[in-house]
């Protein structure tokens, strides 16, 4: 169970995240290396796919030397890239045409 203050904080953060995603052509989701970041990865994916008239394309970024990437991100991303500027730039160009 989440404490009331924590629930309010999470709700406010989700609202701000939704507003940022609303303005975007695509959503870039870096794969976190810590388990506690999975909640926010799932939240970003859910907002991008379900909260707007049309789903937003998702670009997943694997961290350097990361052995495990969250399954949810691998499954839902339109494209997965490694953490470098060239692969990210190509992915943005590809999914945001």
């Amino acid at each position: 169970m989440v404490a009331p203050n924590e629930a309010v904080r999470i709700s406010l953060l989700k609202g701000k995240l939704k507003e940022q995603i609303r303005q975007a052509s695509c959503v870039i989701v870096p794969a976190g290396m810590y388990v506690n970041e999975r909640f926010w990865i799932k939240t970003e994916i859910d907002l991008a796919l379900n909260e707007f008239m049309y789903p937003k394309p998702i670009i997943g970024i694997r961290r350097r030397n990361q052995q495990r990437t969250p399954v949810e991100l691998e499954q839902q991303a339109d494209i997965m890239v490694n953490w470098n500027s060239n692969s990210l730039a190509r992915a943005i160009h590809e999914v945001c045409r």
Side-chain angles (χ1 to χ4, degrees):
M1 180 151 183
V2 178
N5 288 344
E6 183 69 4
V8 169
R9 185 182 75 81
I10 289 171
S11 178
L12 289 171
L13 288 172
K14 279 184 179 180
K16 290 180 183 208
L17 184 59
K18 183 178 178 180
E19 179 57 23
Q20 287 182 341
I21 291 172
R22 183 188 67 75
Q23 298 175 48
S25 298
C26 67
V27 179
I28 298 171
V29 181
M33 58 189 280
Y34 302 107
V35 173
N36 61 352
E37 293 176 357
R38 286 192 174 196
F39 171 81
W40 289 107
I41 290 173
K42 287 179 182 180
T43 300
E44 286 178 275
I45 292 168
D46 182 56
L47 289 171
L49 296 179
N50 302 311
E51 292 294 319
F52 304 98
M53 185 178 294
Y54 300 103
K56 304 276 184 167
I58 297 172
I59 299 170
I61 302 176
R62 289 183 201 92
R63 292 178 60 120
R64 217 173 245 150
N65 299 321
Q66 183 173 339
Q67 298 299 319
R68 297 183 311 173
T69 300
V71 173
E72 301 86 4
L73 183 56
E74 289 277 356
Q75 291 175 342
Q76 298 296 329
D78 292 273
I79 188 168
M80 291 293 301
V81 297
N82 293 321
W83 188 263
N84 69 60
S85 58
N86 289 334
S87 62
L88 181 55
R90 279 192 300 273
I92 292 170
H93 179 74
E94 184 178 320
V95 301
C96 295
R97 291 184 209 195

